[in-house]
Amino acid sequence: AHRGQMNRKRAAALAATGSLTGLMTGMLGVGGGFIIVPMMRKLTDVSMHGIVATSLMVIALVGSGGVLATATHGATLPLEVALWFTGATAAGMLSGRLASHHIAARQVQLGFASILVCVALGLLVKAALM
């Protein structure tokens, strides 16, 4: 079947991806881009820009939910730190968005895969040293 056609198997795979993303986010605070991007690339015909937009939307929704949950449980939010981090993140996203128009989708995928490998190796080293 064409990757763009939704069927039960593809819908189940995407739902499983969403569940795994939620599980990893809940346990480790990671998952959005690391899981969504490669799985959507494999299972759909959505463009890389569309996949990134979807991933960012999921991360924003999950992050907003986390902030609300934390605030409603009486935790103090480090507002100054959050504002600096948010500003720097927004600037980085804008830079990345502008750069993405000049970089081939394949190069973006290779860069993303390289970052995943580096992060995985770093986690392995950290776990081995603990």
Side-chain angles (χ1 to χ4, degrees):
H2 188 266
R3 285 191 313 163
Q5 297 172 342
M6 189 57 63
N7 57 36
R8 287 180 190 237
K9 185 177 178 181
R10 185 164 289 108
L14 288 170
T17 298
S19 296
L20 179 61
T21 299
L23 179 68
M24 296 301 290
T25 300
M27 288 187 347
L28 303 171
V30 300
F34 291 96
I35 297 170
I36 294 169
V37 171
M39 290 307 292
M40 282 190 69
R41 190 75 180 146
K42 179 179 179 177
L43 297 171
T44 70
D45 280 340
V46 176
S47 72
M48 195 63 184
H49 293 293
I51 291 171
V52 169
T54 301
S55 176
L56 290 174
M57 180 189 69
V58 169
I59 292 167
L61 290 172
V62 169
S64 298
V67 169
L68 288 173
T70 300
T72 58
H73 284 90
T76 305
L77 300 173
L79 191 58
E80 185 178 357
V81 172
L83 290 175
W84 277 103
F85 186 79
T86 301
T89 300
M93 286 175 59
L94 179 60
S95 298
R97 190 72 173 153
L98 294 171
S100 72
H101 296 294
H102 304 288
I103 302 171
R106 177 145 174 80
Q107 297 302 333
V108 172
Q109 282 182 281
L110 287 172
F112 181 74
S114 299
I115 291 169
L116 284 179
V117 168
C118 290
V119 169
L121 290 173
L123 289 173
L124 283 170
V125 169
K126 185 176 180 180
L129 295 176
M130 292 180 103

